[in-house]
Every structure is written in C-alpha cells, then in structure tokens.
Amino acid sequence: MDPWNALGTANPLQTALVGLYAAQLTGAEEIPLAFSMVTERAARVLGLGADEYGVTEGAPASFVLLPAPTPAEAVRRQVRPRYVVARGSVLAETPPAPTRLWWPGQQGPSDVDFTPPL
C-alpha cells in the first residue's frame, strides 16, 4: 500500500515515470532528472544531510540496489530493487526474474532484459 498514491506501489521509480509522462519530459537528458527528483532532491527536501544520505565513508550503509546500468534505465524499465539495506542490514531481497521469449524458428526460449546494447 502506498499512503501517498492510491494507485501507487510506494516505488519512487513509479512516481518518476508518471511524472515524466505527465510533464511530457521524455527526452534523453530529462529522464535522469526524474531519477534525481525521487532520490537526491527528495533527500534535500526532507532535510537529510550528508551524514544521513549518500555514499560516504562512516555514514550508515542504507541504500537500495537497483539492477540497472543507469538511472534512466532504472526509470524506463521500472526495475524492482535487488536489495534494500538499512544501516548495514539487508531488509529485503528480490531474486532476479528473467523474461523468456520464444522466438519463431528458434529452439527454446531466450532470456531478454530489454536493455539497449552498450
């Protein structure tokens, strides 16, 4: 349940994607900005200092590990967090769930991750 959005899943990536569509900000340089809005910028609005937010030596190890090579890919693909860690303890883990496609003329399925070639 998402206390701020009746149709939401409490996933900031969903908020970023909906915001991008609503504001028609789908350019390549605009998508990473939406990621920033639900991460670094949200932390600033909440008044979280460097000792509470970010990756720095000596800070609490609290983070969400997303299985995406870039912020834009995380938003585009709406990836589920691989790990959620709070103060060094794993709170949640999502095992990989591959998508398999059966292409006409091929023997067996192929795993697809919908990421563009690098």
Side-chain angles (χ1 to χ4, degrees):
M1 176 170 196
D2 185 338
W4 298 278
N5 178 357
L7 300 176
T9 60
N11 182 348
L13 294 178
Q14 181 185 45
T15 303
L17 183 68
V18 170
L20 286 168
Y21 281 136
Q24 298 181 14
L25 299 172
T26 56
E29 68 284 349
E30 296 163 329
I31 297 170
L33 290 175
F35 186 86
S36 174
M37 289 178 194
V38 299
T39 56
E40 295 99 7
R41 291 182 183 186
R44 268 189 270 148
V45 168
L46 293 171
L48 300 178
D51 59 331
E52 299 170 290
Y53 182 83
V55 179
T56 57
E57 186 176 338
S62 298
F63 59 92
V64 175
L65 182 64
L66 300 173
T70 66
E73 280 298 297
V75 174
R76 184 184 73 81
R77 292 179 23 231
Q78 294 290 285
V79 297
R80 295 177 64 197
R82 182 69 178 96
Y83 293 100
V84 177
V85 178
R87 300 192 180 281
S89 296
V90 175
L91 297 182
E93 176 183 1
T94 304
T99 298
R100 294 192 174 97
L101 298 178
W102 280 260
W103 295 101
Q106 286 190 354
Q107 294 292 327
S110 299
D111 287 355
V112 178
D113 64 7
F114 300 100
T115 57
L118 298 176

